[in-house]
Every structure is written in C-alpha cells, then in structure tokens.
C-alpha cells in the first residue's frame, strides 16, 4: 500500500469518516440493455417494421449503436431488403377478417338487394411502380418469420 493512499485515508478519518470501506462510485454508466428498453423496442418494431435504427433509438432514448445491438443480439432481428414481403396474418388480423366477413354475410341476409350493389370481377391486371429505393423498402425480420420474396415486374 502506498503512502498516498494512507494519507488519503488519514484525511478522510480526520474529517469524520467511520469506515474503511470504499464509497459507492458512479463508475461505469448504466447500460441501455434493460428489459424495459428491449420490450419498448420490440413493441415499436412490431408496430412498424420499416422504422430505421435512428428512429428507434430516438424513440427509446438510447444511442444508435445501442439500439442496433439490442435489435441484433437481444431481439435477434436482421434488416432485410425486399419490395414485397409475404404477410402472415396474426390471430388478431384473422379475427378482424372473420368479423368483417360475418358483418357482410349478416348484411346480405338482412337486405336482399345488398349483393346487387357489389361490383366484382374475376381477374385484374395492375402494373405496379414503386419508386422506393431498396433501403427504403427494407424492414426488420426475425429468423422465425418467412424469408421475404424479391420483387418481380409482371
């Protein structure tokens, strides 16, 4: 033990300190890797998969590098670029579609002329032009989700 350390302890005891234990130091700053931040990020990404790392970081209140690390390591998500991403319906979306179909069926049963007002066709061809760049069309994907399909011009 050095003389400097002994002098420092002597001065601390002289000022009224009663213990030789070190005081709590501020030390290393608190990490952004908390359960609350991870959950907030998960909710943000699930609400809008096309958010950028910068937008997520600003919303959660962490640095861009921390947000990227949390997305990659804790949420196990990758950024994939695809124009068309196949949509698998969530249980809530399936329930909503069922409710809408049930409402249409009830309306058709209660109003006999309802189906005469519906216009339908058997086939439609639409040329789609999407001016988005590859980066703008990218979104976050979890490994359990299906791989997005590449865009094809028809």
């Amino acid at each position: 033990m050095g003389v400097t350390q002994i002098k420092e302890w002597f001065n601390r005891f002289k000022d009224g300190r009663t213990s030789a234990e070190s005081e709590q130091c501020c030390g290393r700053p608190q990490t952004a890797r908390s359960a609350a931040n991870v959950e907030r990020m998960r909710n943000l990404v699930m609400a809008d998969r096309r958010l950028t790392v910068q937008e997520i970081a600003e919303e959660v209140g962490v640095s861009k590098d921390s947000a990227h690390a949390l997305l990659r390591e804790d949420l196990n998500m990758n950024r994939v670029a695809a124009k068309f991403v196949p949509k698998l319906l969530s249980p809530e979306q399936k329930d909503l579609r069922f409710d809408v179909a049930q409402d249409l069926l009830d309306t058709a049963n209660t109003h006999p002329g309802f189906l005469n007002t519906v216009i339908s066709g058997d086939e439609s061809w639409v040329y789609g032009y999407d001016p988005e760049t590859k980066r703008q069309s990218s979104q976050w994907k979890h490994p359990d989700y299906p791989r997005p399909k590449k865009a094809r011009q028809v």
Side-chain angles (χ1 to χ4, degrees):
M1 183 176 302
V3 174
T4 307
Q5 181 70 38
I6 293 171
K7 286 182 180 181
E8 187 178 321
W9 281 4
F10 175 77
N11 288 332
R12 286 183 185 172
F13 281 114
K14 190 168 78 173
D15 291 337
R17 187 170 177 166
T18 59
S19 172
E21 296 292 322
S22 297
E23 290 180 350
Q24 185 77 0
C25 296
C26 58
R28 187 174 180 191
Q30 185 181 17
T31 180
R33 191 171 299 224
S34 68
N37 284 348
V38 172
E39 190 58 34
R40 284 185 65 199
M41 279 191 185
R42 177 179 324 204
N43 293 337
L44 282 172
V45 171
M46 290 303 167
D48 183 5
R49 293 182 180 275
R50 296 175 78 173
L51 288 173
T52 64
V53 176
Q54 184 67 36
E55 292 169 338
I56 294 170
E58 288 172 3
E59 185 73 28
V60 175
V62 297
S63 71
K64 184 177 171 184
D65 293 332
S66 296
H68 192 264
L70 287 172
L71 286 165
R72 293 294 303 254
E73 296 166 10
D74 292 342
L75 295 177
N76 198 19
M77 293 188 143
N78 296 322
R79 189 83 172 169
V80 293
K83 293 278 186 170
F84 300 103
V85 177
K87 304 279 187 207
L88 294 178
L89 297 179
S90 68
E92 295 86 18
Q93 291 170 326
K94 289 178 183 177
D95 291 340
L96 179 63
R97 285 193 181 198
F98 179 79
D99 293 340
V100 169
Q102 190 65 45
D103 288 343
L104 286 172
L105 185 61
D106 293 342
T107 305
N109 289 335
T110 57
H111 302 339
F114 173 72
L115 290 178
N116 294 333
T117 62
V118 176
I119 300 171
S120 64
D122 62 347
E123 188 174 326
S124 63
W125 290 81
V126 178
Y127 176 75
Y129 173 70
D130 192 2
E132 288 184 332
T133 64
K134 185 176 180 180
R135 184 179 203 92
Q136 289 171 327
S137 69
S138 66
Q139 60 181 297
W140 291 100
K141 177 190 148 323
H142 194 272
D144 297 341
Y145 300 144
R147 184 180 180 105
K149 298 190 168 120
K150 294 185 178 173
R152 278 189 255 147
Q153 190 174 5
V154 180

